[in-house]
Amino acid sequence: MKRYEALAEDIALSIRTGILKRGEKLPSVRQTSERRGISQATVYQAYYLLEARGLIRARERSGYYVIAGASKLPPEPELLSSTSGDSTTVDVSELIFEVLQSTKVRDVVPLGSAFPSPSLFPYDKLASSMHSSLQQLDPWATVEDLTTGSSELRRQIALRYLLVGMHVNPDDILITNGALEALNLALFAVTRPGDAVIIESPAFYGALQSLERMGLKAIEVATHPREGIDLDALESALGKHQPKACWLMTNFQNPLGCSMPDQKKQNLVALLERFQVPLIEDDVYAELYFSSHRPLPAKAFDQSGLVLHCSSFSKSLAPGFRIGWILGGRYLSKLIRQKLSSSLSASLPAQEAIAHYLSKGHYDNHLRRLRHTLSVQQSVYTEAIARYLPAGTLATRPSGGYVLWLELALHVDVLHLQKLAIALGISIAPGPMFSAQRQFRHCLRLNYGHPYSDKTAEAMQTLGRLIQQQSSITV
Amino acid sequence: MKRYEALAEDIALSIRTGILKRGEKLPSVRQTSERRGISQATVYQAYYLLEARGLIRARERSGYYVIAGASKLPPEPELLSSTSGDSTTVDVSELIFEVLQSTKVRDVVPLGSAFPSPSLFPYDKLASSMHSSLQQLDPWATVEDLTTGSSELRRQIALRYLLVGMHVNPDDILITNGALEALNLALFAVTRPGDAVIIESPAFYGALQSLERMGLKAIEVATHPREGIDLDALESALGKHQPKACWLMTNFQNPLGCSMPDQKKQNLVALLERFQVPLIEDDVYAELYFSSHRPLPAKAFDQSGLVLHCSSFSKSLAPGFRIGWILGGRYLSKLIRQKLSSSLSASLPAQEAIAHYLSKGHYDNHLRRLRHTLSVQQSVYTEAIARYLPAGTLATRPSGGYVLWLELALHVDVLHLQKLAIALGISIAPGPMFSAQRQFRHCLRLNYGHPYSDKTAEAMQTLGRLIQQQSSITV
């Protein structure tokens, strides 16, 4: 966390807990600067951030005033799921399909969406990059870079790993049609129909869809809402079943928002190494961290090529371009052959445009803005949860990404809630979407990647009312 | 065939058969115009075409002279393959992979390539279209057009079908990552591992790779080098096995270059209808016809949605963009769900660029040039076959596309030939690549989609020598 963010967090806490009250004046910038021994510029940055979060407002020639009342952040949930420990045949894709369709309508308040707001991405700059790169395109590249993907893009991706100290050879990268294809190629490479695969509980529904499509069984393993999959539970599942793969999101997991600490990632890799079970690592949110540095992937601790590490630009730079990649480890040549025979290659202009954009150094500036926006929006949405949803609602507080997880009172039926909400123009992502056993019937995933508007506030209020009504009827 | 093409063909025939001899002067443009009752412009066009084919040459202020000697076009092969009629487990992907790798090197003479010359495509115009379309892009389109694909592109594709009298609803089109993904989605939708699928003999190796990857069995059915799959043989295979699908290329088949006459396509659809076996139709070369009009797909005769019709822009407009589509018939909603869970969506900028390019009316001009180039190159390559390859070599004479099929003397081993050729910088596509039973060991596919240069002539000569040497050793 940067200095100004720490200061802002400090002041926000004072407001929430009621130490600073609505209408009160904040200490002046000069006073705060002197008292805390930090520059005035840093204090200004902190005040701007608090203003953006809707907690304080400047009055002309007077200073900054608190405009938000004391609020209690919703508490965080604890370890989730009491999974049966059995492997499960997967059959959830119709439910998932229905919910996804409901989020595609423009007028719906997209609390259930899987995507951040499309307005957050630099399509104009990407258009220029595309024009430049396509004009310079060597037509032979359409033949030479087939299947493995643009050599310049692979170099640029390798350079980004170097920033976190990982030495990746561009030749070890296979470009794919988004991370989803990468994950599916990985799953196909290490399993056969009927095999069992370990997933988180709750898990990204894309994993469930892939398992279902390929006739694989799911073993759901309890997952901590802050620190990711429970390693003890994982170890016992590895011993009990003979899974052929383990599919996890190590950073800003969808839907929980949890991240495994680095040491835990290292232990995870060591554990899987012991059982010789490959890890399919979905790391698509890694660039969307709110702290001071990008978290490492589990791949960073992989000595033997047992980790198939998948990522993409779809969440961080260019949704719709469908450019992802995989570091295939010991499975690379198998993956390349599969890619060749299943879809040949990823779209070349999209690859070249992103490579050009990265080579011009635009990416980090864009990411800084995007992360800041998302972190501010998380605060605003979290305050709205505290304000509008019934007391007792639990919410995760991810340190990156754009989704969080809500646990409602146990008797609430989110599948029913979803039907009521969509009829009123609000989409939500109900918990059972994220479980082969259709657990989490009282939970939902909330997307905070869209600007918080009056309409959003209204939707949150409506959602609160709908939940309240369910309580009154049921109790 | 246009009038000037008919005239050129006529004169070319006179040259080949020795009626017009090398060094002789052609009748003047005016004479020919008067004698044949056609405009001088038409005669000029014909002479230009003959000049481009290397058959005649203009001498300043003197007229046109024959520069090519009499040659005999290689004869066409007859009905191919004596398939065993059994279904076969497929295991050819390593051979295919090896051969494909060998064609990717820039300096190799690409007689074995699967692609036409990259220089034949309008990348500069596509770059402009991409710039325009991406700047006008509504970011919400990245969400709304997910999975099914750009609505404008689907409309443009539907308009092209309308040109041949087919009424296709844009909502019946699913955009895919090239035709290969479309074909794989189709195969996945109608089969399960262990099922048998009917393919042509020889077949597109992509079909073999897909069957192998999905654990399907191949039933190879004899295929006529001019008119496509043998319907009697097909009927008996349908009766004997219980195939779950039939995967065919109805126009300018790869590798033979054969096309089914319209009536035969209609009979094919009726036959499959009777057995209720879905047709997976690969129609990627349809736009590359040399005659006066685009041939119909079998889909045009499909009343009940039993045909899964796949095509793309990869061969005709934008290789590397990876934009294809499928008309899914009764399987559409299943295909959409599979696409959603396997790769989500095709690359949006590539889709928008192609839609923009089509909407500006550029496509037909480009196609006219492309078809003309390919048809001229076919003549030139065919003459080279007659000149450089041993007498007795048979060659198909496709009426479109950019590959033809060679049948060498029975004792020639093309797998051995391929190794010798690639060592000398020449790639070829050996027959066994196109057969689950590894038949056609004396056949090869020849790509005429690259400009015929001195280097090509040299390669053809070398190839002829290598074949001759095999004959002397073996005999």
Side-chain angles (χ1 to χ4, degrees):
Chain A
M1 197 182 290
K2 298 225 170 110
R3 209 169 264 202
Y4 77 92
E5 291 170 323
L7 174 59
E9 206 42 71
D10 211 34
I11 297 171
L13 187 69
S14 305
I15 295 172
R16 266 185 232 122
T17 50
I19 296 171
L20 275 166
K21 292 201 189 314
R22 194 197 304 263
E24 255 181 329
K25 189 168 184 277
L26 288 187
S28 75
V29 170
R30 176 183 296 180
Q31 279 176 326
T32 307
S33 156
E34 283 170 2
R35 205 178 300 156
R36 304 232 178 189
I38 51 182
S39 76
Q40 292 197 10
T42 302
V43 180
Y44 269 117
Q45 275 187 294
Y47 282 17
Y48 291 155
L49 180 55
L50 289 166
E51 201 173 14
R53 286 197 196 180
L55 297 180
I56 66 174
R57 186 171 297 153
R59 278 193 215 147
E60 220 172 326
R61 292 185 210 167
S62 165
Y64 283 88
Y65 288 81
V66 178
I67 57 168
S71 79
K72 237 178 123 214
L73 275 192
E76 292 185 76
E78 285 309 311
L79 188 62
L80 289 166
S81 84
S82 51
T83 57
S84 68
D86 290 338
S87 69
T88 318
T89 303
V90 189
D91 175 23
V92 291
S93 63
E94 273 312 304
L95 169 65
I96 295 168
F97 192 74
E98 261 174 50
V99 174
L100 292 186
Q101 287 304 100
S102 76
T103 65
K104 280 171 71 176
V105 182
R106 202 177 282 242
D107 290 338
V108 160
V109 181
L111 303 178
S113 170
F115 306 98
S117 168
S119 63
L120 296 173
F121 299 96
Y123 283 109
D124 48 346
K125 275 230 171 69
L126 284 167
S128 307
S129 278
M130 190 157 274
H131 193 233
S132 310
S133 58
L134 207 53
Q135 283 201 317
Q136 295 159 15
L137 180 73
D138 170 8
W140 256 103
T142 61
V143 176
E144 286 176 330
D145 285 347
L146 263 183
T147 306
T148 49
S150 152
S151 50
E152 175 58 16
L153 179 60
R154 286 183 284 128
R155 200 177 68 84
Q156 289 293 338
I157 291 171
L159 283 174
R160 292 208 67 82
Y161 283 107
L162 201 57
L163 290 177
V164 290
M166 285 172 67
H167 292 267
V168 172
N169 184 332
D171 287 341
D172 293 339
I173 300 173
L174 171 64
I175 305 292
T176 58
N177 299 310
L180 192 57
E181 192 193 38
L183 292 159
N184 279 306
L185 287 171
L187 199 58
F188 194 85
V190 299
T191 65
R192 306 194 58 176
D195 284 347
V197 174
I198 286 179
I199 56 171
E200 288 145 325
S201 179
F204 168 45
Y205 57 75
L208 298 174
Q209 289 178 301
S210 296
L211 264 55
E212 181 172 337
R213 202 161 36 80
M214 296 193 199
L216 297 164
K217 293 205 175 86
I219 306 162
E220 297 187 53
V221 171
T223 298
H224 192 282
R226 219 178 7 251
E227 303 200 338
I229 196 162
D230 187 284
L231 289 191
D232 291 337
L234 175 61
E235 183 164 1
S236 93
L238 286 166
K240 184 175 165 192
H241 307 275
Q242 291 180 327
K244 287 297 183 298
C246 184
W247 173 330
L248 305 180
M249 299 190 79
T250 45
N251 295 311
F252 319 127
Q253 192 250 16
N254 177 0
L256 290 175
C258 61
S259 294
M260 301 176 76
D262 283 357
Q263 181 59 52
K264 193 172 172 185
K265 286 173 187 147
Q266 191 164 4
N267 296 345
L268 166 73
V269 173
L271 178 61
L272 293 174
E273 186 73 49
R274 185 143 62 80
F275 283 87
Q276 280 297 298
V277 171
L279 172 63
I280 300 174
E281 179 177 42
D282 178 357
D283 201 26
V284 292
Y285 301 109
E287 295 278 16
L288 304 182
Y289 55 87
F290 302 160
S291 64
S292 59
H293 65 283
R294 172 178 162 162
L296 286 174
K299 182 71 181 171
F301 304 103
D302 178 28
Q303 304 287 333
S304 72
L306 199 62
V307 179
L308 300 102
H309 169 85
C310 306
S311 191
S312 89
F313 293 105
S314 300
K315 315 295 184 186
S316 53
L317 176 62
F321 279 46
R322 308 304 304 140
I323 299 300
W325 65 91
I326 183 166
L327 310 182
R330 61 173 86 154
Y331 307 96
L332 183 69
S333 72
K334 199 168 175 188
L335 294 166
I336 291 174
R337 280 158 169 74
Q338 275 170 31
K339 169 76 180 152
L340 174 73
S341 73
S342 63
S343 70
L344 196 57
S345 186
S347 189
L348 194 70
Q351 292 183 62
E352 295 296 346
I354 292 176
H356 184 272
Y357 181 91
L358 263 62
S359 73
K360 293 294 171 198
H362 299 317
Y363 194 30
D364 280 311
N365 284 331
H366 155 70
L367 282 175
R368 261 191 292 276
R369 277 192 302 273
L370 179 60
R371 284 176 204 131
H372 177 74
T373 304
L374 292 177
S375 100
V376 169
Q377 285 179 192
Q378 189 196 88
S379 298
V380 178
Y381 275 77
T382 303
E383 309 244 346
I385 291 164
R387 182 178 308 173
Y388 295 120
L389 301 198
T393 301
L394 307 180
T396 60
R397 228 165 293 158
S399 52
Y402 53 83
V403 297
L404 56 78
W405 181 255
L406 293 180
E407 219 178 306
L408 307 176
L410 262 173
H411 62 263
V412 177
D413 176 356
V414 287
L415 291 176
H416 184 56
L417 184 66
Q418 192 247 340
K419 288 199 170 57
L420 299 174
I422 199 69
L424 297 174
I426 304 163
S427 77
I428 61 170
M433 280 178 79
F434 304 96
S435 164
Q437 300 180 18
R438 303 206 182 205
Q439 298 182 88
F440 310 115
R441 228 182 147 90
H442 64 301
C443 300
L444 62 93
R445 184 191 70 184
L446 189 111
N447 180 319
Y448 57 82
H450 293 255
Y452 190 87
S453 64
D454 290 351
K455 208 175 151 188
T456 323
E458 224 173 275
M460 291 296 288
Q461 202 165 3
T462 305
L463 206 57
R465 207 186 57 233
L466 292 174
I467 297 169
Q468 206 75 59
Q469 279 167 2
Q470 272 211 25
S471 306
S472 355
I473 295 164
T474 324
V475 177
Chain B
M1 197 183 289
K2 295 224 170 112
R3 208 168 265 202
Y4 77 93
E5 291 170 324
L7 174 60
E9 204 44 68
D10 212 33
I11 297 171
L13 188 69
S14 306
I15 295 173
R16 265 184 233 122
T17 51
I19 295 171
L20 276 167
K21 294 206 187 311
R22 197 197 303 262
E24 257 181 325
K25 187 169 183 273
L26 287 187
S28 75
V29 171
R30 177 184 296 178
Q31 281 176 325
T32 307
S33 157
E34 282 167 4
R35 202 177 303 156
R36 303 232 180 191
I38 51 181
S39 75
Q40 293 198 9
T42 303
V43 180
Y44 269 118
Q45 275 188 293
Y47 283 16
Y48 292 155
L49 181 55
L50 289 166
E51 199 171 18
R53 286 199 198 176
L55 297 179
I56 66 174
R57 186 172 298 154
R59 280 194 214 145
E60 222 174 326
R61 294 189 210 165
S62 165
Y64 284 89
Y65 289 81
V66 178
I67 55 168
S71 78
K72 237 180 124 218
L73 276 192
E76 293 183 76
E78 286 309 311
L79 187 62
L80 290 167
S81 82
S82 50
T83 57
S84 68
D86 291 338
S87 68
T88 317
T89 303
V90 190
D91 176 24
V92 291
S93 63
E94 273 311 305
L95 169 64
I96 295 169
F97 192 76
E98 259 175 50
V99 174
L100 293 186
Q101 288 303 103
S102 76
T103 65
K104 280 170 71 175
V105 181
R106 201 178 283 240
D107 290 338
V108 160
V109 180
L111 302 179
S113 171
F115 306 98
S117 167
S119 64
L120 296 173
F121 299 96
Y123 284 109
D124 48 346
K125 276 230 172 64
L126 285 167
S128 307
S129 278
M130 190 155 274
H131 193 233
S132 309
S133 59
L134 208 53
Q135 283 201 317
Q136 293 158 18
L137 180 72
D138 170 8
W140 255 102
T142 59
V143 175
E144 285 176 330
D145 285 347
L146 262 183
T147 306
T148 50
S150 152
S151 49
E152 176 58 16
L153 179 61
R154 285 182 285 127
R155 200 177 69 82
Q156 290 292 338
I157 291 171
L159 283 173
R160 291 207 68 82
Y161 284 107
L162 201 57
L163 290 177
V164 289
M166 287 173 65
H167 292 268
V168 172
N169 184 333
D171 287 341
D172 294 339
I173 301 172
L174 170 64
I175 305 293
T176 57
N177 299 311
L180 192 57
E181 192 194 38
L183 292 158
N184 278 306
L185 287 172
L187 199 58
F188 195 85
V190 299
T191 65
R192 305 192 57 174
D195 285 346
V197 174
I198 286 178
I199 56 171
E200 287 144 324
S201 178
F204 167 46
Y205 56 76
L208 298 174
Q209 289 177 303
S210 296
L211 265 54
E212 181 173 337
R213 203 161 34 82
M214 298 192 198
L216 298 164
K217 292 204 176 85
I219 306 162
E220 297 187 55
V221 171
T223 299
H224 192 280
R226 218 175 10 248
E227 304 198 338
I229 196 161
D230 186 283
L231 288 191
D232 292 338
L234 176 60
E235 184 165 0
S236 92
L238 286 167
K240 185 174 165 193
H241 307 275
Q242 291 181 326
K244 287 297 183 299
C246 184
W247 172 332
L248 305 180
M249 297 189 79
T250 46
N251 295 310
F252 319 128
Q253 193 249 15
N254 177 0
L256 290 174
C258 60
S259 294
M260 301 177 77
D262 284 356
Q263 183 59 52
K264 193 171 173 186
K265 285 172 189 149
Q266 191 165 3
N267 297 346
L268 166 72
V269 173
L271 178 61
L272 293 175
E273 186 73 50
R274 186 144 62 79
F275 283 89
Q276 280 296 299
V277 171
L279 172 62
I280 300 173
E281 179 177 40
D282 178 356
D283 200 26
V284 293
Y285 301 109
E287 296 278 16
L288 303 181
Y289 54 88
F290 302 159
S291 64
S292 57
H293 64 282
R294 172 179 160 159
L296 286 174
K299 181 72 182 171
F301 304 103
D302 177 28
Q303 304 287 333
S304 72
L306 199 62
V307 179
L308 300 103
H309 169 86
C310 306
S311 191
S312 88
F313 293 105
S314 301
K315 315 295 185 187
S316 53
L317 176 62
F321 278 46
R322 306 305 304 139
I323 300 300
W325 66 90
I326 183 166
L327 309 182
R330 61 174 84 157
Y331 307 97
L332 182 69
S333 72
K334 200 168 173 187
L335 294 166
I336 291 175
R337 280 160 169 74
Q338 275 169 32
K339 170 75 179 151
L340 173 73
S341 73
S342 64
S343 71
L344 197 56
S345 186
S347 189
L348 194 69
Q351 292 184 61
E352 296 295 346
I354 291 176
H356 184 273
Y357 180 91
L358 263 61
S359 72
K360 293 294 171 199
H362 298 317
Y363 194 30
D364 280 311
N365 284 331
H366 156 71
L367 281 174
R368 261 191 292 276
R369 276 192 302 273
L370 179 59
R371 285 176 203 130
H372 177 74
T373 304
L374 293 177
S375 102
V376 169
Q377 284 178 194
Q378 189 195 89
S379 299
V380 178
Y381 276 78
T382 303
E383 309 245 346
I385 291 164
R387 181 177 308 173
Y388 295 121
L389 301 197
T393 301
L394 309 179
T396 60
R397 228 165 291 156
S399 53
Y402 52 84
V403 298
L404 56 78
W405 181 256
L406 293 179
E407 220 178 302
L408 306 176
L410 263 172
H411 62 262
V412 177
D413 176 357
V414 286
L415 290 176
H416 184 57
L417 184 65
Q418 191 246 341
K419 289 200 170 55
L420 299 174
I422 199 68
L424 297 173
I426 304 163
S427 77
I428 60 169
M433 276 179 83
F434 304 96
S435 164
Q437 298 178 19
R438 304 205 182 204
Q439 295 183 89
F440 311 115
R441 229 182 145 90
H442 64 302
C443 300
L444 61 94
R445 185 191 68 183
L446 188 110
N447 181 318
Y448 57 83
H450 293 255
Y452 190 87
S453 64
D454 289 352
K455 208 175 153 188
T456 324
E458 222 172 276
M460 291 296 290
Q461 202 165 0
T462 306
L463 207 57
R465 207 186 57 234
L466 291 175
I467 297 169
Q468 206 73 61
Q469 281 169 0
Q470 271 211 26
S471 307
S472 357
I473 296 166
T474 324
V475 176

